[in-house]
Amino acid sequence: MNDIQRQWDDFHSYVERRDVIFYYVGYFSQTIIAAMADAVKLRVEHAGAVAQTRRKLFSSFIEMAQNIVHYSADSYEKEGNSEASMRHGAVFISLTDGRYYLHCANPVNADVAEKLREKLEHLRSLTIEEIKLEYKETLRAETPADSKGAGLGFLTMARDASAPLEFELSPATDNGMSMFYLRATI
């Protein structure tokens, strides 16, 4: 076995052991999210998820990817390109014992980290009925001033998840950035 084949086999074995059905790390843009969405749809369908599970997985995947585009502290702007900058992060989906796990990670600035912590700790304190009620109220309300979307992302994920959203923030580095990790169980 040559070196390239051994590296590929090692990577492929790891992916199979972790039951990973989709993985991406790199820069996110709306164009890249659209392409990944097609791939996720096919992979989840191929994995045998029922229609309701596929819908929940897909909407949570889109929300995670959008959060990276809106809040990742690592951005890249292509010179001469008038499109919005791309933001760095990672997402992966795994299937273990019949449950799907969506993970995302991206760097965030200290102010964003604190807002994420507050929002997610609040969501983790709510029952599913309270989450659905807050979702409906947020739909009818004005977009929060500090939100780059409609303020529904975490509510959508919490509503669709079968367990409370899990998150971690790494300790801030010298430049004030932390890594934000989020997991939704579907």
Side-chain angles (χ1 to χ4, degrees):
M1 184 182 303
N2 65 35
D3 196 43
I4 295 172
Q5 184 179 358
R6 185 177 11 267
Q7 287 179 354
W8 180 254
D9 285 347
D10 289 348
F11 179 73
H12 189 70
S13 295
Y14 180 78
V15 167
E16 283 192 337
R17 279 195 319 272
R18 297 295 311 249
D19 300 316
V20 174
I21 62 172
F22 182 84
Y23 175 72
Y24 174 80
V25 61
Y27 286 97
F28 286 65
S29 67
Q30 298 304 329
T31 304
I32 291 170
I33 292 172
M36 286 192 300
D38 287 340
V40 167
K41 278 183 188 174
L42 287 172
R43 289 293 295 142
V44 171
E45 187 175 315
H46 186 262
V50 297
Q52 184 180 23
T53 302
R54 287 195 311 260
R55 184 199 59 77
K56 290 178 177 179
L57 278 165
F58 187 73
S59 68
S60 292
F61 167 78
I62 293 297
E63 294 300 337
M64 285 184 174
Q66 291 294 340
N67 280 340
I68 291 169
V69 167
H70 292 306
Y71 301 109
S72 174
D74 182 356
S75 65
Y76 172 74
E77 290 190 42
K78 196 171 180 181
E79 202 168 297
N81 191 346
S82 61
E83 292 182 34
S85 66
M86 297 188 289
R87 303 294 178 108
H88 195 271
V91 293
F92 83 87
I93 302 171
S94 62
L95 171 62
T96 304
D97 297 330
R99 298 182 100 175
Y100 290 89
Y101 298 92
L102 282 86
H103 302 251
C104 73
N106 58 277
V108 293
N109 292 320
D111 60 328
V112 171
E114 195 50 42
K115 289 176 185 171
L116 291 171
R117 181 186 312 279
E118 288 174 16
K119 285 182 183 178
L120 288 163
E121 285 179 350
H122 168 69
L123 278 177
R124 289 181 52 82
S125 72
L126 301 178
T127 65
I128 189 65
E129 290 76 24
E130 292 169 327
I131 289 168
K132 288 177 181 178
L133 181 62
E134 194 164 313
Y135 180 87
K136 288 178 185 175
E137 290 171 354
T138 303
L139 261 180
R140 288 185 228 122
E142 294 289 324
T143 300
D146 64 340
S147 177
K148 294 179 181 174
L152 293 169
F154 289 137
L155 282 166
T156 299
M157 286 185 266
R159 181 196 64 188
D160 290 346
S162 61
L165 297 176
E166 299 172 78
F167 73 99
E168 291 180 11
L169 286 156
S170 70
T173 59
D174 290 342
N175 63 8
M177 282 204 259
S178 298
M179 279 300 290
F180 171 64
Y181 303 94
L182 178 66
R183 180 168 70 183
T185 304
I186 306 291

